[in-house]
Amino acid sequence: MRKKLVYRLALIAILAALSCVLRIAFVDFPNVKPITAMFFCLCLMDWTLGFNCNHGTNYAFDWNSAGFSPIVFGQIFVYAIIIAFFKAIGKLTKNVFVLSISAGFLAFVFGALIDVLSGLMYGFGTGGYIAYWIAGLPFDTAHAISTLIFYPIVIMILGRIKALQ
């Protein structure tokens, strides 16, 4: 029991660190990051693994970058929502193509929901939110497309971890 807990904590820490490194590696490409695909793949293995890796990544990266922002709690909350939806889709199908399309769509939804939270936090109002959302569409689209592309690659790599458990 204790050995399995230590293995699990180490796995979460390593995956969160890997996610932070991947965010830094892709910093030149705004919103092109494989970590959303990684969270989705992990949630298919185990809900808590994907969720805890999301927590660890957001806390570690935001503490070590520009400083801790209140939007981090929004990111964790929104990631939990889209991860839950992806987990439900994953129970319905195991088709990688369908899951890739779903991952891309949910990454796009992530951007829209983060925009809603930002609008509420900064008091944009309805008109301001729409303008803010439209201005962010290219970034949301880049995030969605990159997640769609990265998902099959990440699921192939992380599938080996499942074999280790």
Side-chain angles (χ1 to χ4, degrees):
M1 174 73 173
R2 186 175 179 100
K3 185 177 179 181
K4 190 171 185 173
L5 176 66
V6 171
Y7 172 80
R8 189 160 182 80
L9 289 173
L11 182 60
I12 290 168
I14 290 168
L15 290 171
L18 175 64
S19 295
C20 290
V21 169
L22 288 171
R23 282 183 77 169
I24 293 167
F26 285 89
V27 74
D28 292 334
F29 308 102
N31 274 16
V32 175
K33 312 222 178 339
I35 63 167
T36 303
M38 192 164 122
F39 296 152
F40 288 152
C41 294
L42 291 172
C43 88
L44 290 181
M45 291 181 202
D46 182 1
W47 159 258
T48 58
L49 188 62
F51 190 70
N52 289 329
C53 185
N54 167 33
H55 269 78
T57 301
N58 280 310
Y59 286 134
F61 189 79
D62 289 325
W63 275 107
N64 291 319
S65 60
F68 199 72
S69 166
I71 201 67
V72 172
F73 297 114
Q75 287 177 335
I76 291 170
F77 177 70
V78 172
Y79 264 123
I81 291 170
I82 65 170
I83 286 172
F85 275 109
F86 191 78
K87 178 74 172 175
I89 294 168
K91 287 183 179 182
L92 297 175
T93 182
K94 299 297 181 209
N95 186 327
V96 175
F97 180 74
V98 172
L99 291 173
S100 296
I101 298 294
S102 300
F105 174 74
L106 287 171
F108 194 80
V109 170
F110 171 82
L113 291 176
I114 285 296
D115 291 345
V116 167
L117 287 175
S118 298
L120 290 172
M121 187 182 311
Y122 300 118
F124 292 152
T126 307
Y129 165 73
I130 293 171
Y132 185 74
W133 179 68
I134 290 173
L137 279 177
F139 296 100
D140 294 345
T141 304
H143 185 215
I145 292 171
S146 69
T147 302
L148 184 140
I149 292 169
F150 280 124
Y151 179 80
I153 297 166
V154 173
I155 196 75
M156 183 179 62
I157 294 168
L158 291 181
R160 296 177 185 202
I161 291 174
K162 183 68 172 174
L164 296 174
Q165 290 181 340

